[in-house]
Amino acid sequence: MKLHISLLAATLLCGAAFAGPAAPTADFADNGASFKRLSGSLNAGYETNYNGRGLVMSHSVAEGDSAMFAALKYNYDFGRQGGWSWDGALSYRNVPSGHTLYGNPSFGPTFRGQQQMFASMIQPDPAWQGMPGNAIASNYISQFVGTELEGLTKNEVEAQMDHIASGSIKQANIEPEIAIVNSLKYTREKWNFALGHDFIHGGILGVMAKHYRDQGASCVNEVFVRPEWTPAKWVSVGCTTRFSFEGIVGWWFEPDVTFKAPIIGTPDDVKLAGVVQFGLSATADYFRSSYFACDNGTQAFWIKLATPWFVTKNFIITPSVSFNWLGKGAINANKTSEFRYYTENSHSIPFRNFGVVGGCAATYTF
């Protein structure tokens, strides 16, 4: 029995959460008898914290913590084993705890006081009545900047005064994540290369597109390439590079190193396997500071441990745990959080500085 099915079960947890291809799955041993032109798996599982691309969401963002997912993964080999193949996945993730960002909170006491002062100022002045929010903010800035709003740029003050003038923080939601991934892959003995496309609706990237880029729709389209080197049966090194061209325009980079070994059994007949993955994610020209959401650079680092257990030949249970740390870009996102600033609540930040994500997946292979 080849180990690639067990690794598929382990790493699909990453694949579903990251809305992208699963981590490397190099085989321990070649076994021509197990070759199938069409193969795949059905997967369902649970995670203790809602996460994506290494970023673990804070409790306040999702009004809770856990997430559930299901996925269908399929592979079609066009010719002999070790040549061209088509890999695809359809995944669904849901946050059962809540679907509104930070519970749609209200302004903090300082901003409520500013709102009342602002309203009292503009009411007696006919020249300000009926003006757009930005124009009112500009008038406010010219007369009052240097007091409560000292240290902010003109654009930052205008953005914040727009919200204050409206009387409430904008409402924002988190929609369930649906990801459709397809790629062409060319495989040789010690390396492979994939070229593909992601369509992602909802989830973390959907929030960024809809609420921080004001696109009106919570979806992104990406193309990606993934070269991968497998110098030995027990290790693989790869890097997924994505370019998002709709919803948000910019780059994601996700290098990773995966080690694998049988714990019980042999490489040809695995009963229990061990998988360790080291990875990181980073962005370039993806976020804009004016959205008070995220910053470019490193986003997250993680170490993921999984132990796929073959209950039967076609049924696998995969417990896993990952340890996730924020990179500099995501740390800056927490420091400049729009909701943290408006609510004056230190817990209203998007990401956990350190998060532990436990999970368990059930997989049926065919």
Side-chain angles (χ1 to χ4, degrees):
M1 180 184 298
K2 299 171 73 176
L3 188 58
H4 73 285
I5 296 297
S6 64
L7 296 181
L8 169 65
T11 58
L12 191 59
L13 288 171
C14 292
F18 297 174
T25 58
D27 301 329
F28 275 96
D30 293 325
N31 185 352
S34 66
F35 170 65
K36 291 182 179 180
R37 189 172 296 277
L38 178 64
S39 60
S41 65
L42 293 170
N43 309 265
Y46 170 86
E47 296 168 317
T48 57
N49 283 297
Y50 184 47
N51 65 95
R53 298 198 172 168
L55 299 168
V56 180
M57 298 298 99
S58 71
H59 180 87
S60 61
V61 160
E63 301 178 277
D65 297 302
S66 61
M68 298 177 291
F69 68 87
L72 166 68
K73 187 172 177 66
Y74 42 90
N75 170 273
Y76 183 82
D77 200 301
F78 291 110
R80 63 181 180 84
Q81 188 177 15
W84 287 98
S85 64
W86 171 38
D87 292 336
L90 172 64
S91 68
Y92 174 87
R93 298 181 73 244
N94 191 25
V95 187
S97 301
H99 292 279
T100 56
L101 290 175
Y102 308 98
N104 288 336
S106 59
F107 282 110
T110 300
F111 275 105
R112 284 198 297 270
Q114 285 183 347
Q115 180 184 336
Q116 293 169 359
M117 178 180 66
F118 191 39
S120 66
M121 284 192 312
I122 65 175
Q123 289 304 320
D125 191 339
W128 286 24
Q129 294 184 22
M131 294 175 64
N134 277 340
I136 294 176
S138 296
N139 280 280
Y140 181 88
I141 293 163
S142 65
Q143 297 184 37
F144 296 97
V145 72
T147 55
E148 298 92 344
L149 304 179
E150 184 175 6
L152 299 180
T153 67
K154 181 176 182 293
N155 287 339
E156 289 172 337
V157 175
E158 286 182 352
Q160 296 194 42
M161 290 311 300
D162 267 344
H163 287 298
I164 293 174
S166 71
S168 63
I169 299 177
K170 66 178 181 182
Q171 294 188 354
N173 64 336
I174 305 175
E175 299 175 63
E177 178 190 285
I178 299 173
I180 302 173
V181 184
N182 285 285
S183 67
L184 284 173
K185 185 176 181 179
Y186 184 70
T187 304
R188 305 306 295 169
E189 182 180 359
K190 294 190 179 295
W191 60 271
N192 62 76
F193 181 85
L195 171 65
H197 171 263
D198 299 333
F199 171 79
I200 303 127
H201 182 279
I204 298 168
L205 296 185
V207 167
M208 294 174 179
K210 182 175 183 178
H211 300 301
Y212 294 137
R213 282 296 188 86
D214 299 320
Q215 296 295 305
S218 58
C219 60
V220 298
N221 271 287
E222 302 174 321
V223 291
F224 67 86
V225 294
R226 180 181 173 83
E228 185 177 286
W229 180 44
T230 54
K233 299 296 183 183
W234 50 271
V235 63
S236 52
V237 181
C239 180
T240 304
T241 300
R242 293 185 174 91
F243 178 71
S244 178
F245 60 90
E246 184 180 16
I248 301 180
V249 176
W251 298 86
W252 276 92
F253 306 95
E254 295 167 62
D256 57 70
V257 181
T258 302
F259 301 92
K260 65 218 78 158
I263 298 175
I264 300 176
T266 66
D268 296 313
D269 186 18
V270 179
K271 303 301 182 184
L272 182 70
V275 183
V276 181
Q277 183 187 68
F278 300 87
L280 70 89
S281 63
T283 59
D285 196 31
Y286 195 82
F287 299 116
R288 301 289 186 271
S289 61
S290 59
Y291 292 94
F292 303 99
C294 299
D295 200 359
N296 290 304
T298 54
Q299 301 301 317
F301 304 86
W302 65 87
I303 301 173
K304 185 177 178 108
L305 311 174
T307 54
W309 169 41
F310 280 88
V311 180
T312 67
K313 180 180 179 180
N314 297 103
F315 183 65
I316 308 154
I317 298 293
T318 306
S320 66
V321 61
S322 69
F323 304 92
N324 301 56
W325 295 265
L326 289 187
K328 184 177 179 180
I331 290 174
N332 288 340
N334 280 350
K335 290 180 179 178
T336 60
S337 168
E338 183 181 29
F339 282 92
R340 178 181 181 177
Y341 192 86
Y342 288 145
T343 62
E344 301 168 57
N345 181 350
S346 62
H347 297 291
S348 294
I349 57 176
F351 311 119
R352 297 176 187 263
N353 288 310
F354 172 71
V356 179
V357 182
C360 188
T363 302
Y364 176 77
T365 65
F366 56 86

